[in-house]
Amino acid sequence: MISISSVKKIFSTKNGKVTAVDDINLVINRGEIFGVIGYSGAGKSTLIRMLNGLETPTSGSVVVADREVSKIKGSELRQARREIGMIFQHFNLLWSRTVRENIAFPLEIAGVPKSERERKVNELIKLVGLEGRGDSYPSQLSGGQKQRVGIARALANDPKVLLCDEATSALDPQTTDAILDLLVDINKRLGLTIVLITHEMHVIRKICHRVAVMEAGHIVEMGPVLDVFKSPEQPITKRFVQQVTEPEESKETIEHLLEQYPDGQLVKLTFVGESAEQPVIANLIRQFNIGVNLVQGKVSQTQNGPYGTLFVHLTGASEEVNKAVEYLKEQKVSSEVITNA
Amino acid sequence: MLEQWLPNVNWENIWEATIETLYMTSISVVATFILGILLGLLLFLTAKGNLWENKMVYTVVGAFVNIFRSIPFIILIVLLIPFTKALVGTMIGENAALPALIIGAAPFYARMVEIALREIDKGVIEAAKAMGAKTSTIIWKVLLSESMPALVSGITVTAIALVGYTAMAGVIGAGGLGNLAYLDGFQRSREDVVLVATVVILLIVFVIQFVGDFFTNKLDKR
């Protein structure tokens, strides 16, 4: 559906040339939800804006839905853009228009006749769950509702691809989840390819099938979300994964424990996929004569299966504890003994 | 009763002068609105980072606007005498005031239009682009629609300034309430005529302000 080959984008600024996107190659499949994560300035925004020609690459090519977006201009580019919906962090609605008129705007641009516009708008209002709000103005809506209007508007011309530019970054956690659920629903129902950029790993975890991690204009790591969660390779990826798997206070708790209980072993277990549902701990307690103290744990659901981490503190005779650690290593969970660094 | 208080006021003359003032104001407001929006759009669109970015055009239009905005109106009328004569054929009467009124007010309004357009969120323009909108669609349906309340409140301010300009134009022979107050009132020491002309001008200004505010509020959905 989307293929990006050796794309580079160099901006000329007062302080010289800045390479925002550096030699990126990427293929995104039809019907996939693909996430790009990175801190601000990583080039992810530039990358997504090249997908609908809001930016032109300095070199390389971008093909979306069989059209080389990076080459075409004028009416051909406008035609291509109608097949690529986009939603934005700050919604970018026209405040002088009602919800209904905002959603109708792309249809007006495409020259759809009035009766057909009305039918389509009603359908979209229902799809995004804004029944009864059609005649409100954006200023009368909450952030989540505004983004729903944004989504309806982006879907008006039946696009093949939906681009989400930090679409949930301005929303509170609860609204974020509701909007993400809506995106998954649309992806399943309409088979729409979705590309989203974000700095929140939570968003990737919740809805993406595959993820690319960007840093300084490069994609440093890419793969199915669960694989990246299981074995993040780059330090930046590890940091992002920790955003979801380890609560902020983990580190402090662990340091505290290591200080308080110098004996025994502190083990971090990582469960991926079906192993997350295995009774590993129960077996551990049954088979070995040790004390198992659960320190902290969390299981998250991703689009390709569950993923979790658990910190356990094993106490007892050191021989028995070592055996228990050996046992854990044999299981389908990856375990890591944490020692005082 | 009125005759006693205002012995020198000829109501027919007042009425005639009011019509002349309203005529000059309304024609020049309409022309200023159109010309100002065109100039303002040109300034906005050719500014750095916008759709028709063009330093040359921006500088030239900007200089034109600044020059005509800074010339005091009374001097502008005099400077424009040859131009007006060529265009209207005379220097006397309401029509002769129109070129100076429009050339004096349009650049002033153009700057207001430019400011109003700059207030529009860049993201909205980008969203329209991302939807595949043509530049003409962006101008009509995004730029002008979204800035309409500011455009209307701007033209209200400009219209009130124009009422003042018509009075000045009146002094040098364009007719209207300014002419009446100056020639019939001030020059002949008839204070009552000056008073009545002033009150009528005040009323016109109040009505313009009221109507302008009404539409600004009605259009503003923010």
Side-chain angles (χ1 to χ4, degrees):
Chain A
M1 182 54 76
I2 299 173
S3 88
I4 298 171
S5 25
S6 8
V7 159
K8 237 183 200 189
K9 177 74 189 182
I10 300 167
F11 288 108
S12 312
T13 65
K14 272 180 198 158
N15 307 324
K17 288 184 173 167
V18 176
T19 310
V21 168
D22 200 358
D23 198 24
I24 282 190
N25 291 288
L26 193 59
V27 173
I28 298 169
N29 307 316
R30 186 180 299 272
E32 189 173 29
I33 304 184
F34 190 91
V36 178
I37 191 165
Y39 293 110
S40 50
K44 56 191 195 310
S45 218
T46 311
L47 181 67
I48 200 168
R49 289 159 56 84
M50 286 195 279
L51 297 180
N52 62 357
L54 287 175
E55 300 281 1
T56 338
T58 311
S59 65
S61 92
V62 177
V63 178
V64 179
D66 303 324
R67 269 195 246 241
E68 193 166 355
V69 178
S70 50
K71 280 257 164 62
I72 54 177
K73 282 195 177 87
S75 71
E76 213 184 331
L77 177 59
R78 290 198 293 272
Q79 195 61 46
R81 280 172 172 169
R82 284 173 206 167
E83 291 183 0
I84 307 170
M86 189 171 195
I87 57 176
F88 305 86
Q89 179 173 7
H90 299 296
F91 325 123
N92 297 351
L93 304 177
L94 287 99
W95 60 258
S96 61
R97 288 174 167 239
T98 61
V99 167
R100 205 170 272 286
E101 290 164 344
N102 261 294
I103 300 174
F105 188 38
L107 298 166
E108 286 169 29
I109 291 172
V112 176
K114 191 154 191 245
S115 59
E116 172 68 10
R117 283 207 302 260
E118 264 166 38
R119 191 190 60 76
K120 190 82 203 180
V121 168
N122 286 333
E123 199 182 292
L124 286 162
I125 285 183
K126 212 172 282 168
L127 178 75
V128 299
L130 281 175
E131 290 101 330
R133 300 311 307 258
D135 297 316
S136 305
Y137 284 93
S139 60
Q140 299 164 312
L141 302 178
S142 68
Q145 288 171 324
K146 282 182 196 154
Q147 195 56 288
R148 282 171 194 270
V149 179
I151 292 172
R153 182 176 73 173
L155 297 176
N157 281 322
D158 299 314
K160 294 177 176 147
V161 176
L162 179 66
L163 308 176
C164 309
D165 186 354
E166 297 271 8
T168 57
S169 303
L171 303 173
D172 63 63
Q174 217 175 340
T175 317
T176 296
D177 281 355
I179 292 293
L180 294 178
D181 288 338
L182 176 64
L183 289 176
V184 173
D185 183 48
I186 289 165
N187 165 259
K188 285 196 181 132
R189 236 196 291 179
L190 312 176
L192 194 67
T193 309
I194 299 180
V195 182
L196 62 87
I197 62 168
T198 182
H199 59 264
E200 296 168 308
M201 200 58 177
H202 168 75
V203 172
I204 302 283
R205 190 220 90 209
K206 201 163 149 70
I207 73 166
C208 292
H209 301 126
R210 280 198 304 151
V211 61
V213 183
M214 270 189 91
E215 193 178 25
H218 298 273
I219 289 181
V220 294
E221 200 161 345
M222 180 160 68
V225 170
L226 206 53
D227 291 0
V228 171
F229 267 75
K230 187 165 67 180
S231 46
E233 276 160 21
Q234 303 294 325
I236 178 173
T237 316
K238 286 182 185 158
R239 273 215 302 277
F240 277 124
V241 170
Q242 275 171 7
Q243 265 184 21
V244 218
T245 54
E246 288 169 37
E248 277 287 294
E249 52 298 6
S250 272
K251 224 174 171 181
E252 287 164 35
T253 317
I254 288 157
E255 271 167 19
H256 180 73
L257 271 170
L258 285 171
E259 266 171 38
Q260 255 193 333
Y261 305 100
D263 52 334
Q265 296 269 32
L266 194 58
V267 185
K268 176 188 172 187
L269 305 171
T270 309
F271 303 83
V272 177
E274 48 192 52
S275 73
E277 283 139 26
Q278 303 264 313
V280 179
I281 301 297
N283 292 342
L284 195 68
I285 300 168
R286 254 183 239 140
Q287 287 184 22
F288 303 93
N289 182 25
I290 53 166
V292 177
N293 181 21
L294 300 183
V295 179
Q296 195 150 46
K298 193 175 179 185
V299 176
S300 317
Q301 205 63 36
T302 74
Q303 286 292 314
N304 1 46
Y307 166 87
T309 51
L310 185 63
F311 288 91
V312 290
H313 188 227
L314 310 177
T315 50
S318 63
E319 210 174 290
E320 200 69 359
V321 169
N322 286 342
K323 265 198 237 160
V325 171
E326 283 308 307
Y327 166 80
L328 282 174
K329 284 188 175 154
E330 283 162 22
Q331 300 304 304
K332 270 200 201 156
V333 292
S334 58
S335 57
E336 186 186 336
V337 177
I338 298 173
T339 45
N340 239 331
Chain B
M1 233 281 270
L2 270 176
E3 265 104 69
Q4 217 178 332
W5 287 94
L6 311 163
N8 302 311
V9 176
N10 177 335
W11 292 101
E12 235 166 72
N13 285 349
I14 296 278
W15 179 246
E16 207 180 302
T18 308
I19 296 295
E20 284 168 5
T21 294
L22 288 177
Y23 171 81
M24 286 189 282
T25 310
S26 47
I27 300 276
S28 57
V29 165
V30 170
T32 299
F33 187 66
I34 295 167
L35 204 63
I37 284 182
L38 287 176
L39 283 174
L41 266 176
L42 200 57
L43 279 173
F44 175 77
L45 291 170
T46 56
K48 205 170 164 17
N50 277 321
L51 291 165
W52 296 343
E53 180 172 342
N54 186 325
K55 206 171 176 187
M56 185 61 187
V57 176
Y58 184 79
T59 317
V60 171
V61 177
F64 171 83
V65 163
N66 282 343
I67 290 170
F68 282 96
R69 214 162 48 120
S70 36
I71 299 175
F73 185 68
I74 198 84
I75 297 172
L76 186 71
I77 304 175
V78 178
L79 284 177
L80 285 176
I81 285 177
F83 176 73
T84 309
K85 270 196 173 148
L87 201 72
V88 191
T90 174
M91 266 318 293
I92 311 294
E94 311 88 82
N95 284 329
L98 292 177
L101 288 173
I102 295 163
I103 291 172
F108 176 71
Y109 185 52
R111 280 290 179 206
M112 288 196 190
V113 172
E114 191 199 359
I115 292 166
L117 295 174
R118 274 200 201 153
E119 290 289 302
I120 299 172
D121 188 354
K122 284 266 183 303
V124 180
I125 301 169
E126 191 170 285
K129 261 201 242 174
M131 284 179 233
K134 281 188 283 194
T135 306
S136 61
T137 312
I138 293 179
I139 291 175
W140 282 110
K141 298 199 166 179
V142 180
L143 296 180
L144 295 182
S145 307
E146 290 285 291
S147 63
M148 201 40 89
L151 296 183
V152 171
S153 66
I155 199 67
T156 309
V157 174
T158 312
I160 288 167
L162 273 169
V163 174
Y165 286 179
T166 63
M168 262 190 260
V171 173
I172 64 152
L177 289 163
N179 184 280
L180 186 80
Y182 183 68
L183 288 184
D184 201 32
F186 178 72
Q187 299 277 32
R188 297 165 76 174
S189 296
R190 292 165 161 180
E191 281 79 18
D192 52 341
V193 175
V194 178
L195 182 74
V196 171
T198 310
V199 169
V200 175
I201 287 178
L202 273 180
L203 283 176
I204 293 174
V205 169
F206 283 169
V207 169
I208 292 174
Q209 187 67 56
F210 179 80
V211 172
D213 286 350
F214 176 79
F215 281 109
T216 305
N217 289 332
K218 206 168 164 92
L219 288 165
D220 200 342
K221 307 287 196 237
R222 261 179 291 203

